[in-house]
Every structure is written in C-alpha cells, then in structure tokens.
Amino acid sequence: MQDIRAKPDPAIIMPEPHDPRLTERVTGVDHTGAVVEIRVPVERALTLYLNAQEIVTMMTINDYPEYLAIGYLLNQNMLKPDDVVTGVDYDDDLQVTVVRTERHTNYEHKLKKRTLTSGCAQGTAFGDLMEALEEIDLPNAELRTSWLYAMTKSINTMPSLYLEAGAIHGCVLCQEGRPICYMEDVGRHNAVDKLAGWMYRNRIDPADKVLYTTGRLTSEMTIKTVRMGIPILVSRSGFTAWGVSLARQAGLTLVGRARGKRFVALSGEERIVFDQDPASVEEEAARHRRKGADDD
C-alpha cells in the first residue's frame, strides 16, 4: 500500500478569516440596547473512525478534517509514527472522517479509559500517554529572544479568524521566528492536532521548530507537544502546575505570558539565548490583546 505521506503538500497554511464556511452573522443587542450584528465561528460535529472503529466525535470549525483526524490519532497514540496510512476519506454530508491503515487496529479497551481534560471544547487524553512521554528524547534546540519577539508580533498582527470573530484558539508552528503553519479552532487541542496532522502529512522535521499557542499551558498541551517531538512550547497565556511538572520531566522548554517584550520561562530555560534587548521591543497593541491578556 502507498503511504499518503508520499504526496506532500508544500503549501504553507495561514488563517482564512473571510472563508464564508467558518462564520455566521448573528444579530443581537449591545449594552446600550442598540441592535448589533457580529460574526461568530461555526461549530460542526466531526465523527472520526480509525478503520472500522468509531473513535470520537469532535466539535470543530472543520476547515482541515484530514489533518485533524490524523493529528488526533497521533497525539492519542492510536496512530504510530511508522504506520502506513492508506487513505483518509471525508464525507461532508455525514460529517465523518475515516482514517485507514495497513495495521489492524482495535482500541475498544483504550477508549474505556478516556479521561476528560481541562481543554475547552472537551479534549480527551488517555492514561498510557504518560508512559509514552518517557520514550521521547527531545532534541537540543535553541530559542533566541529575537526569534520569540518576531514570532509573537507576526502572529498577533496576522489576519486571523480570532481577530475577525473571536471565540477561537490558534496554534502556530514556527521556525526561527517565522510562522510556517497556523491553525485555528474552537479548542486549542483541535488546533494543535491539525498541526500534528499537517506535519505528518508533509514529513516536517520537528527538531528545530517552536509551537506557539494562544491557550493555557496545560498538561494536555505539554503532552501533545512532546509527542510531536517539538522541543519548545510558547503561549501568550499562563501555566498549570501539572503542565509545568510534565514539561520539566520531559525536558520541554515552556514559555508563557509572552506578550510584547515580556515572557516567563518555567522549564527548559537553558535553550533560551538572550540576544535582543527587551527595551528595543514594542509593547503589544490593545487591538491585538487576546483572551488571558489581563488575567495571568
């Protein structure tokens, strides 16, 4: 069978905030009683099958169902990095994606051990993911502060569904301060799963990459980043204690509250190279402040 990764898509993905499938216009009233019309993201149910077995139904904006399906299975340790994916079938009418592999799969027992996580839009993690972390040795990479400042400014000023409609999370794969793949969804776990699927599909080397997220640095985000082999995770939001503990255990560089010239690193500080004076960096503009900017 042919591995679908043999047909790479070289396109660099960025948000398409004006895609009419992703938002609806809704009328209401504001705090003064005046009639207003705003755009809101559209959620759709997507049911994922691995071969003949139903795995999960996710709420998603559903812009990249193939990447979401593959990335979810990878990050849940149901799809192995060396698995041969023989096909991904998506039915828009049924809102179903089927991932087919050469390897026979049966995860009935594993599905019973599913644990609800703190991620918005009901993310899930499985008990054996912790054990899988022990098998991963993250590469020695560096994070220059000049790259960090360039990256956060570029992401915060880039046209996005968040800036158009809000109520959305973004995850961005970056290299040396340059965004190379930017995914958005109603939950940060969906956005990072789509990145994982895109990386798998296009044979992207994670060793020199940085993962940026608009969401909190939770245990789930830490686990998924480590499973993807990415050595550095950055967020504009804050941390959870378990997220920090797992990052330290795995040797992941964890940088949070990254806004304007400010950031805090709570794990893997040895990868950071302080090559730019913070005094030369502009503060974040009010228009580009997002959820969590005043909370952490």
Side-chain angles (χ1 to χ4, degrees), residues 1-3 5 49-53 55 70 72-87 98-108 110 128 200 227:
M1 293 290 185
Q2 185 179 21
D3 188 338
R5 289 179 296 169
Y49 283 79
L50 176 57
N51 296 311
Q53 185 175 29
I55 301 299
I70 291 175
Y72 179 90
L73 294 172
L74 284 168
N75 283 334
Q76 298 294 348
N77 204 26
M78 292 179 164
L79 187 64
K80 311 299 181 182
D82 58 350
D83 271 335
V84 175
V85 176
T86 57
V98 181
V99 177
R100 306 183 190 281
T101 63
E102 278 190 352
R103 177 174 62 92
H104 173 73
T105 58
N106 185 344
Y107 289 108
E108 181 178 356
K110 184 173 183 176
D128 62 349
Y200 175 92
R227 284 198 53 77

Side-chain angles (χ1 to χ4, degrees), residues 3-285:
D3 188 338
I4 64 168
R5 289 179 296 169
K7 298 179 179 179
D9 176 4
I12 302 302
I13 296 177
M14 296 297 170
E16 298 182 17
H18 301 295
D19 185 335
R21 300 172 302 166
L22 303 184
T23 61
E24 290 182 0
R25 292 194 174 274
V26 179
T27 301
V29 297
D30 66 11
H31 59 286
T32 69
V35 176
V36 294
E37 183 182 74
I38 64 171
R39 292 173 62 192
V40 298
V42 175
E43 292 181 273
R44 297 178 175 87
L46 177 67
T47 300
L48 168 61
Y49 283 79
L50 176 57
N51 296 311
Q53 185 175 29
E54 181 177 342
I55 301 299
V56 70
T57 295
M58 301 173 279
M59 298 307 298
T60 171
I61 61 175
N62 209 25
D63 52 348
Y64 294 101
E66 175 186 333
Y67 295 146
L68 176 56
I70 291 175
Y72 179 90
L73 294 172
L74 284 168
N75 283 334
Q76 298 294 348
N77 204 26
M78 292 179 164
L79 187 64
K80 311 299 181 182
D82 58 350
D83 271 335
V84 175
V85 176
T86 57
V88 180
D89 301 320
Y90 171 65
D91 188 305
D92 188 56
D93 292 330
L94 298 177
Q95 298 289 282
V96 167
T97 298
V98 181
V99 177
R100 306 183 190 281
T101 63
E102 278 190 352
R103 177 174 62 92
H104 173 73
T105 58
N106 185 344
Y107 289 108
E108 181 178 356
H109 177 67
K110 184 173 183 176
L111 290 168
K112 293 179 181 178
K113 300 196 307 180
R114 174 159 56 182
T115 302
L116 193 66
T117 70
S118 60
C120 53
Q122 307 300 306
T124 58
F126 293 90
D128 62 349
L129 290 185
M130 300 301 185
E131 298 175 9
L133 290 186
E134 299 175 1
E135 304 170 0
I136 299 173
D137 186 18
L138 291 175
N140 292 321
E142 68 177 18
L143 175 63
R144 295 183 176 273
T145 55
S146 59
W147 298 346
L148 177 61
Y149 294 140
M151 177 181 74
T152 54
K153 181 178 180 180
S154 176
I155 292 169
N156 286 338
T157 57
M158 188 180 298
S160 66
L161 190 58
Y162 175 85
L163 292 178
E164 290 293 330
I168 208 87
H169 273 297
C171 287
V172 191
L173 189 69
C174 303
Q175 182 176 24
E176 296 185 357
R178 181 175 63 93
I180 60 175
C181 186
Y182 187 158
M183 293 289 190
E184 293 183 298
D185 214 304
V186 288
R188 61 184 177 273
H189 50 86
N190 281 354
V192 75
D193 284 347
K194 285 191 284 193
L195 279 181
W198 180 82
M199 291 175 67
Y200 175 92
R201 185 72 167 82
N202 291 281
R203 299 182 182 273
I204 302 298
D205 183 2
D208 60 345
K209 303 301 187 295
V210 175
L211 177 59
Y212 174 95
T213 177
T214 59
R216 299 181 305 278
L217 296 172
T218 63
S219 56
E220 183 182 28
M221 285 302 298
T222 295
I223 290 170
K224 290 191 175 188
T225 304
V226 173
R227 284 198 53 77
M228 292 163 68
I230 298 173
I232 301 164
L233 174 60
V234 177
S235 174
R236 64 175 293 101
S237 293
F239 312 81
T240 68
W242 199 13
V244 173
S245 177
L246 289 175
R248 290 176 174 176
Q249 175 184 328
L252 174 71
T253 296
L254 201 64
V255 178
R257 302 180 182 178
R259 307 172 195 133
K261 66 182 68 179
R262 297 174 173 81
F263 66 85
V264 177
L266 295 185
S267 175
E269 302 94 321
E270 68 278 359
R271 289 195 180 94
I272 301 176
V273 178
F274 293 86
D275 68 332
Q276 183 170 351
D277 183 355
S280 67
V281 181
E282 296 179 0
E283 292 289 2
E284 186 178 83

